[in-house]
Amino acid sequence: MSWMASDHNTSSQEDYLPHYLQKEDPFASKLSREADIVAGFYLTVIGILSTLGNGYVIFMSSKRKKKLRPAEIMTVNLAVCDLGISVVGKPFSIISFFSHRWVFGWMGCRWYGWAGFFFGCGSLITMTAVSLDRYLKICHLSYGTWLKRHHAFICLAIIWAYATFWSTVPFAGVSSYAPEPFGTSCTLDWWLAQASVAGQAFILSILFFCLLFPTAVIVFSYVKIILKVKSSTKEVAHYDTRIQNSHTLEMKLTKVAMLICAGFLVAWIPYAVVSVWSAFGQPDSVPIQFSVVPTLLAKSAAMYNPIIYQVIDCKFACCRSGGLKTLQKKSTLKKSR
């Protein structure tokens, strides 16, 4: 009986045809022309803001590149990943939305899917490295003190190699990149999991190594940081001004990292849920009009980071200037006495 069940399972997987093989033209838009125009304008605004914001972060960081701390080097790498998504990927989808179809063929589809996966994976692994750096700096000072700039650059090389490996594996015949159900964008072929056991194994590997494991590390790191900060805030208050300033800077970098990670996960988790359902749920059960919303939300992730960085930076500058004014008042009082 079990053999018959497995045989039936195999045959049903072999009989399954993904959406892009069921129709003669997989790149024709399945949305209304009005919906495509709205999506095109939305991505245009997101692309411009993301390019300007991340470009500004990279430009300002380049002016003080020799003074960047390890966490700030990681933040610059995150801006590079987000800029890559905006410059390399978004023009393809914007043109396609306005054209009411994907106009770049299968080669363009595979390139677009690879670039999105490459830079998206690079962003998440960079944030994982940042969370670990924050965790060591705040919770394990004996380890955090030896993290220097050259360690950050070694970490960057590992991040880019990791993202290159997982985004390029599909080209080795394990998987592929395919058009989204709505036709005007491309992504990893999640639907391959419906067709073969090998496809299921690959999709599960991608989910674990490129989403679940990094997310678990990020959540663990920041939960530990929050618990540590609650217990050590009173202790820091008794230290001298120099130690307090160093602690304030570390907490500023930690707030930036936490908000960036939260923004990334909020933008990408809905897309991940829809993708997993497409891979392991009922075939083609996700409505086409519904599937486009998580995709557009995920594409907005690159815009949040420079905004978060600048808001926290401005707050920090205001606090720092307020602190300087207080110190100046104290010194004036001392002189007058």
Side-chain angles (χ1 to χ4, degrees):
M1 291 293 289
S2 61
W3 175 80
M4 289 177 63
S6 63
D7 186 53
H8 173 72
N9 226 6
T10 307
S11 63
S12 64
Q13 285 184 336
E14 289 176 352
D15 292 340
Y16 172 72
L17 278 178
H19 64 88
Y20 53 86
L21 295 179
Q22 295 173 4
K23 300 175 178 65
E24 292 183 2
D25 187 1
F27 298 124
S29 176
K30 312 305 184 295
L31 304 174
S32 66
R33 186 171 290 277
E34 292 77 14
D36 275 337
I37 291 173
V38 170
F41 274 116
Y42 169 81
L43 287 181
T44 301
V45 172
I46 293 294
I48 292 172
L49 292 177
S50 174
T51 302
L52 292 177
N54 289 293
Y56 175 76
V57 170
I58 295 169
F59 172 72
M60 293 303 293
S61 299
S62 67
K63 295 174 73 174
R64 51 185 292 269
K65 56 187 176 183
K66 292 184 179 179
K67 297 181 180 179
L68 292 176
R69 301 156 70 92
E72 292 174 312
I73 292 171
M74 293 296 175
T75 303
V76 173
N77 190 62
L78 190 60
V80 171
C81 290
D82 292 338
L83 187 65
I85 292 174
S86 302
V87 173
V88 175
K90 281 191 173 62
F92 285 79
S93 52
I94 290 170
I95 292 170
S96 296
F97 273 115
F98 281 126
S99 302
H100 197 49
R101 63 173 288 108
W102 180 262
V103 296
F104 301 100
W106 277 104
M107 286 295 292
C109 182
R110 293 187 180 101
W111 160 252
Y112 177 84
W114 179 88
F117 190 13
F118 173 73
F119 288 115
C121 182
S123 294
L124 184 56
I125 304 304
T126 300
M127 285 185 280
T128 306
V130 170
S131 69
L132 283 174
D133 173 75
R134 298 292 85 210
Y135 171 68
L136 292 174
K137 286 281 187 183
I138 304 296
C139 301
H140 297 282
L141 294 176
S142 57
Y143 292 98
T145 51
W146 62 262
L147 287 171
K148 305 299 181 184
R149 283 169 56 92
H150 65 275
H151 294 118
F153 290 115
I154 292 171
C155 191
L156 291 186
I158 294 172
I159 289 168
W160 288 111
Y162 193 90
T164 301
F165 173 77
W166 284 109
S167 59
T168 310
V169 162
F171 293 127
V174 179
S175 182
S176 185
Y177 295 96
E180 300 263 18
F182 50 88
T184 45
S185 180
C186 293
T187 185
L188 188 70
D189 191 352
W190 300 98
W191 304 271
L192 194 66
Q194 298 279 356
S196 68
V197 176
Q200 290 180 357
F202 175 73
I203 295 299
L204 287 172
S205 300
I206 286 287
L207 287 172
F208 179 78
F209 289 105
C210 299
L211 180 63
L212 297 179
F213 179 68
T215 302
V217 172
I218 289 169
V219 172
F220 168 82
S221 298
Y222 290 125
V223 168
K224 292 296 243 181
I225 287 170
I226 290 169
L227 295 175
K228 181 68 175 178
V229 167
K230 282 186 176 180
S231 64
S232 64
T233 303
K234 292 181 180 178
E235 297 175 12
V236 174
H238 297 292
Y239 295 151
D240 61 29
T241 306
R242 186 172 57 184
I243 294 176
Q244 287 179 357
N245 289 340
S246 177
H247 178 76
T248 304
L249 179 58
E250 293 296 341
M251 291 314 301
K252 173 241 178 180
L253 292 172
T254 303
K255 286 180 182 178
V256 169
M258 288 177 69
L259 287 173
I260 284 174
C261 290
F264 184 91
L265 294 175
V266 166
W268 277 97
I269 290 245
Y271 180 77
V273 170
V274 171
S275 299
V276 170
W277 182 257
S278 300
F280 298 103
Q282 284 294 108
D284 306 323
S285 60
V286 180
I288 290 175
Q289 289 75 11
F290 179 75
S291 68
V292 72
V293 176
T295 302
L296 294 177
L297 180 63
K299 292 179 187 300
S300 68
M303 180 188 68
Y304 305 148
N305 299 341
I307 295 174
I308 292 168
Y309 189 81
Q310 291 306 314
V311 168
I312 296 292
D313 206 41
C314 288
K315 278 188 176 182
F316 178 70
C318 290
C319 292
R320 188 168 53 187
S321 63
L324 285 172
K325 286 178 182 177
T326 305
L327 289 173
Q328 286 172 356
K329 285 181 181 178
K330 286 183 179 179
S331 63
T332 305
L333 284 171
K334 285 182 180 178
K335 285 180 181 178
S336 62
R337 284 175 184 172

